[in-house]
Amino acid sequence: MKDSILVINCGSSSLKFAMLANSGQDTLFEGIADQLGSDNSTITFKYQGQKELTHLTVSSHENAVEQIKLWLDQHADIRDSMMGIGHRIVHGGETFGQSVLIDEEVINGIRECSSLAPLHNPAHIQGIHVAMNFFPGLPQVAVFDTSFHQTLSQEQYLYPIPMEFYREHHFRKYGFHGTSYRYISQQLAKLAPNSDQQGVLVAHLGNGASTCAIHHGLSSDTSMGITPLEGLMMGTRSGSLDPSLLTFIMQAKNISAEEALNILNKQSGLLGISELSNDCRTLEDAMVSGDERAKLALDMFAVRTAKYLASTATTLESIDHLVFTGGIGENSSYLRQVICQQLRAFNIKLDAALNDNATRGKVSRIAAADSATQIWVIPTNEELMIALDAISLIQGL
Ligand code: AMP
């Protein structure tokens, strides 16, 4: 039966892949091609619990997809079960409010959004072309990180700068992590059937982090902006700050705008404050061993997350649910506790034992009995969402 979707997430120097079958419920194999474009590129396949790493002699996205094709030729049963390919696309601009079957017009639309995501969208287009080349005739679907937030009102998405920048250059808030938020919204509706008529706050906290308010099932505000730099403090990104800092940093270091922006994107956040790591786990271990700066970095992360949750909540009538997701949101009971402590004015209260005992990889309900808001830990699954979109669009062909 043809029911498998190859999910491809093509970054500028990496290509993640997974083959999902049985309505996306089973992962047949998955892997990553890393450091593409360098001399050290590798491709790793994870199949039946075993990892197999190979060095790539030709370090390109094209070769990575060819390796997947060659691997599939040795696993003909999986190859023959493929019904299509789903691509994660970072930026769909205002053109794509939902997932679409890919044709030339869609590729042109993704290309037109490239100025807003110059590192990502060209890599996605490359991934699509290469996949078309190696899997001719298989339908392909594009799923956009930005689509879910196309329901924001003008008051929320416009920046208070001269309107000509929006009119002529489409400079506005777009928001990201939309595939994750859509998945969480659907999962929550299964757990709390009324939630699609309620107010929901979601904190997607990973190396990249953002918040989203979901009003009656639709995104009403989100913390990321025209790029994923706005909003929360993240692993290496500063998040929001006074824009004047950019020129101050340029002058202090005598560097270009790009170099200063690079500092805000790659050397700031948890890494910049701790001067140790961008990784939450490493910082939590350091904090337990008495590293004050690791604790400061984590506490700043929590305080700023709470601030954005409160800010995005202004688009809701009530805060009925708060969901934590992403690598940090799903696993760090410490950060969940500090974030909720900061939200005490909203009567959002955790149960300490439920929070500490939340089982990794499982849905947990962690609110105290007298909390005004239900609090959840829900593992996200963007690959599944991409596969489900692909199945639904391909079945409609
Ligand atoms: P993501 O980008 O969603 O994959 O999340 C990556 C982040 O999740 C990193 O900062 C990890 O340190 C963090 N993370 C993963 N597992 C844990 C854990 N058990 N405790 C704390 N943080 C974790």
Side-chain angles (χ1 to χ4, degrees):
M1 190 165 109
K2 286 194 182 301
D3 72 343
S4 305
I5 298 288
L6 177 62
V7 176
I8 292 183
N9 182 352
C10 205
S12 51
S13 63
S14 70
L15 190 149
K16 289 188 203 150
F17 51 92
M19 185 77 81
L20 272 62
N22 184 21
S23 304
Q25 300 307 308
D26 303 332
T27 301
L28 302 182
F29 69 92
E30 61 190 320
I32 182 166
D34 231 344
Q35 301 194 50
L36 296 173
S38 82
D39 292 341
N40 304 321
S41 61
T42 56
I43 187 163
T44 306
F45 284 87
K46 198 168 148 198
Y47 175 56
Q48 294 184 337
Q50 305 282 336
K51 268 190 183 172
E52 191 187 312
L53 183 143
T54 315
H55 287 275
L56 290 174
T57 40
V58 180
S59 178
S60 66
H61 290 81
E62 185 165 14
N63 188 28
V65 178
E66 186 169 11
Q67 295 308 312
I68 299 172
K69 169 88 172 78
L70 291 172
W71 190 95
L72 281 166
D73 287 341
Q74 289 163 13
H75 300 80
D77 50 333
I78 299 181
R79 181 195 62 200
D80 296 342
S81 75
M82 280 175 77
M83 75 184 289
I85 299 176
H87 292 268
R88 175 206 176 212
I89 311 290
V90 163
H91 221 303
E94 291 185 317
T95 315
F96 299 105
Q98 54 202 13
S99 305
V100 286
L101 280 160
I102 295 174
D103 57 17
E104 269 313 308
E105 200 183 329
V106 167
I107 294 174
N108 287 335
I110 297 171
R111 189 175 291 116
E112 277 163 23
C113 300
S114 286
S115 63
L116 299 168
L119 291 181
H120 289 101
N121 276 25
H124 298 324
I125 293 171
Q126 204 183 352
I128 292 168
H129 278 139
V130 173
M132 280 176 164
N133 191 16
F134 285 108
F135 300 98
L138 262 190
Q140 302 200 42
V141 166
V143 180
F144 302 89
D145 274 13
T146 47
S147 290
F148 187 62
H149 304 299
Q150 281 296 297
T151 48
L152 261 61
S153 68
Q154 270 204 324
E155 289 86 342
Q156 298 299 337
Y157 73 66
L158 283 178
Y159 289 114
I161 57 175
M163 275 300 270
E164 63 170 291
F165 289 108
Y166 173 60
R167 272 196 309 268
E168 290 170 26
H169 304 281
H170 309 286
F171 293 169
R172 51 159 283 182
K173 178 190 276 283
Y174 287 96
F176 299 87
H177 290 142
T179 311
S180 172
Y181 290 127
R182 194 154 54 93
Y183 175 78
I184 294 295
S185 175
Q186 290 181 7
Q187 289 304 105
L188 185 64
K190 289 182 195 158
L191 297 160
N194 212 17
S195 64
D196 59 358
Q197 299 301 315
Q198 293 181 313
V200 179
L201 282 181
V202 188
H204 177 114
L205 309 177
N207 203 27
S210 68
T211 64
C212 181
I214 304 176
H215 175 69
H216 293 196
L218 303 176
S219 174
S220 52
D221 193 18
T222 188
S223 60
M224 283 179 169
I226 188 165
T227 75
L229 180 57
E230 190 178 340
L232 274 56
M233 173 173 168
M234 310 179 209
T236 62
R237 290 176 221 154
S238 63
S240 291
L241 32 76
D242 184 335
S244 310
L245 263 174
L246 193 72
T247 50
F248 285 6
I249 291 172
M250 287 166 66
Q251 285 156 9
K253 291 268 182 194
N254 196 20
I255 54 178
S256 66
E258 266 95 321
E259 288 168 313
L261 204 53
N262 199 43
I263 291 178
L264 300 184
N265 269 307
K266 304 260 174 70
Q267 299 171 33
S268 300
L270 292 172
L271 174 66
I273 295 296
S274 68
E275 295 183 309
L276 175 68
S277 173
N278 64 310
D279 190 280
C280 176
R281 243 172 317 189
T282 308
L283 295 181
E284 287 195 357
D285 290 346
M287 176 177 69
V288 171
S289 315
D291 184 327
E292 286 293 327
R293 210 96 69 64
K295 178 169 166 26
L296 175 64
L298 290 168
D299 288 348
M300 280 178 66
F301 179 95
V303 166
R304 295 171 86 88
T305 300
K307 210 177 274 193
Y308 276 93
L309 282 169
S311 149
T312 40
T314 57
T315 56
L316 301 176
E317 283 158 24
S318 55
I319 311 172
D320 300 292
H321 304 271
L322 166 61
V323 183
F324 288 99
T325 193
I328 296 173
E330 291 165 30
N331 295 300
S332 174
S333 57
Y334 175 74
L335 285 175
R336 290 195 301 260
Q337 180 255 316
V338 185
I339 292 166
C340 290
Q341 169 68 14
Q342 289 298 119
L343 294 168
R344 61 196 176 281
F346 298 85
N347 204 10
I348 292 176
K349 287 192 207 157
L350 272 185
D351 179 297
L354 291 177
N355 182 42
D356 288 345
N357 295 329
T359 318
R360 203 185 169 139
K362 293 249 158 48
V363 171
S364 303
R365 222 170 144 140
I366 57 173
D370 61 343
S371 173
T373 297
Q374 283 297 342
I375 312 175
W376 305 83
V377 178
I378 304 182
T380 196
N381 194 339
E382 288 159 282
E383 285 77 19
L384 173 59
M385 201 76 243
I386 294 171
L388 292 177
D389 279 6
I391 291 168
S392 137
L393 283 163
I394 292 167
Q395 279 175 344
L397 275 175

